[in-house]
Amino acid sequence: MQSGAASVSGRSTAASARAALSLRPSVCAVAHVHAFRSQPQHQMQHQRGVQVRFFKFGKNGFGAEAAGIVGSQGRDEYTYDDVEQYFNYMGFLAEEGTYDRMEALLKSGLHPIDVILVLACMENDTPKVGEILNAGADVRIKSTDGRTPLEIATKADVQALLQQFAKRAV
């Protein structure tokens, strides 16, 4: 039976919903249908003490920085695990099949946040470079091959970001 015909034939709203969704009858489904049908949403929230808040990102809401999602760590809070996570996230392990490059950077004495900066510059990952610089990465460090992040990055916006932070570091 179609859902429109179900309501005409005298079935309850819950039964119509179950028929339309092809669900087996369940107490949970009936309770939800009756709860939403019988009370306006604002009354339900007040009675249950539930407060619903939606978070908006982008131009009509908060940016990731304001939300505390990006940039919430400081320089000394970055660890080996953060380097490994970024290394894996960017696909270096899948591409190279080994952690050798990451281990070499860490064994060179670079701070974990500076290792992430080097890796992000290799990938020209503008958002990550910005996040890491804001967290305290040092733009003056040198990678294991003797190049600075500015010499490693090839994308103009990443280079501009690095230059901006290099002026602050002097």
Side-chain angles (χ1 to χ4, degrees):
M1 184 178 282
Q2 294 177 347
S3 62
S7 60
V8 172
S9 67
R11 281 190 178 178
S12 70
T13 305
S16 298
R18 281 194 307 269
L21 297 174
S22 301
L23 294 175
R24 284 183 277 144
S26 75
V27 175
C28 191
V30 173
H32 285 288
V33 171
H34 287 294
F36 285 113
R37 184 177 57 85
S38 64
Q39 296 178 338
Q41 188 174 359
H42 69 278
Q43 288 177 353
M44 278 183 14
Q45 289 174 353
H46 179 69
Q47 289 176 353
R48 292 183 183 174
V50 175
Q51 196 172 45
V52 178
R53 294 184 183 195
F54 294 96
F55 195 80
K56 293 183 180 180
F57 285 107
K59 66 180 182 177
N60 296 324
F62 293 99
E65 289 85 6
I69 296 169
V70 173
S72 61
Q73 286 179 280
R75 178 179 177 83
D76 292 329
E77 295 172 301
Y78 282 85
T79 65
Y80 175 93
D81 291 338
D82 294 306
V83 177
E84 183 179 8
Q85 183 180 13
Y86 185 72
F87 192 83
N88 292 333
Y89 171 75
M90 292 308 293
F92 290 118
L93 181 61
E95 186 178 301
E96 299 173 11
T98 178
Y99 285 107
D100 290 348
R101 181 175 12 165
M102 180 186 83
E103 293 292 343
L105 286 165
L106 286 165
K107 287 179 182 174
S108 72
L110 290 175
H111 189 283
I113 196 171
D114 297 327
V115 172
I116 296 172
L117 177 62
V118 168
L119 295 172
C121 286
M122 293 168 112
E123 291 296 308
N124 289 296
D125 184 352
T126 308
K128 191 64 169 183
V129 169
E131 174 191 338
I132 294 299
L133 289 172
N134 282 320
D138 187 354
V139 296
R140 300 167 295 178
I141 57 103
K142 292 192 178 192
S143 180
T144 52
D145 62 3
R147 295 184 302 156
T148 65
L150 186 56
E151 295 167 329
I152 295 169
T154 57
K155 196 171 162 188
D157 58 338
V158 174
Q159 290 174 335
L161 190 57
L162 290 163
Q163 288 171 343
Q164 176 186 352
F165 276 84
K167 289 177 185 175
R168 293 183 198 172
V170 176

